[in-house]
Amino acid sequence: MNNRIITISREFGSGGRTIGKMAAEKLGIPYYDKDLVKKVAVETGFDESYIEKQGEDAPSKSIFGYAFAARGMNGAMNGMSADDFLWVIQRNVILDLAEKGPCVIVGRCADYILKERTDCLNVFVHAAAETRAERIVRLYGETEKSPAKRLEEKDKKREVYYKYYTGQVWGMAKNYAISLDSGKLGLDQCVELITGLTNLRPEDVKR
Amino acid sequence: MNNRIITISREFGSGGRTIGKMAAEKLGIPYYDKDLVKKVAVETGFDESYIEKQGEDAPSKSIFGYAFAARGMNGAMNGMSADDFLWVIQRNVILDLAEKGPCVIVGRCADYILKERTDCLNVFVHAAAETRAERIVRLYGETEKSPAKRLEEKDKKREVYYKYYTGQVWGMAKNYAISLDSGKLGLDQCVELITGLTNLRPEDVKR
């Protein structure tokens, strides 16, 4: 297929991860998300839960972050912050995965990391705040924080992380081949649209 | 059909207008763009070429603008600027058109104006600057200004206009049900994707 790699960036609670999983299943290709994080964890010696927590959060310069870094890296960081080092490792893993074969990669700025490739379909999934609030409560349950607050915090973190590592504004349509409102279109329809674009031949893009 | 109204916002040179025309033709529904401007012109007495020029440009407070306004409006503006008055007229025309029946409306912040409707599919069409530069030279010819400069100026004007009248950032994916990179996907494919979404039934959007 022409678009061998599908990257999915998504707003928290938009169902982007589920869409990615469904698309990978439908196409019979690997899906990377937490697996990717695990792979990173193995390669770096980072504590897995720390990576998972920090993976898409804004770079923290907290003592906590540095403590893990100092413990895990054995001086390999060359003066980089734990977050920056993690970024470099993740970037290499993503470049390797894309080289290896067709796959779906959710999150981790994979769209930006793979921007030089011509066989990559970058997708952004978003939805109205109310739709996402309803979804996170249904999937992850209630917490002390209101759903609106949880969305706001997560969105802000992803925005800052994306800006920090890519220099671009999070959520701009121009960074993606296709952006979809999963609330308006439905998850199944999003999967249909995405998987339908993996077989584009050059003659389909002639004008 | 569920999404009776299709609004298309587009970057200059992205082929969004052509996509809108093709979609309307395929669906057998009216297409509004310059026709809309003409309708506005008739209703306001504005000079048509002035409206066409100002339609999507940033609000100008030039004497030129006021001169036309003063000539055309016969005191109907109640202290509004020519641009603001034009906005109100255009808004009413768009609301009327949407009420009247299925149609495709290109530009004029129709996505924002019709945001309360649930039968409206808002589309954003964009493309890489190089793709658009190549396209505007092919379609509109060379001018004294470089294609890059022409794109920059048009993009800036649309951005400012959109911000001024909607309070939103131009080009954010979240303002549209679907955003498409016409350079990456091709115009025909964009038409396919858009027209394929007009027949969504409620049960297609169940999750």
Side-chain angles (χ1 to χ4, degrees), chain B residues 49-64:
Chain B
S49 68
Y50 169 66
I51 289 180
E52 210 156 306
K53 189 182 162 295
Q54 295 293 317
E56 285 176 301
D57 288 355
S60 82
K61 299 285 174 273
S62 70
I63 292 163
F64 182 73

Side-chain angles (χ1 to χ4, degrees), chain A residues 6 28 30 53 73 78-79 87 92 94 126 152 159 202:
Chain A
I6 299 168
K53 189 181 162 300
M73 303 319 305
N78 298 318
W87 166 260
N92 289 336
I94 287 170
H126 57 94
E152 191 196 317
E159 187 190 320

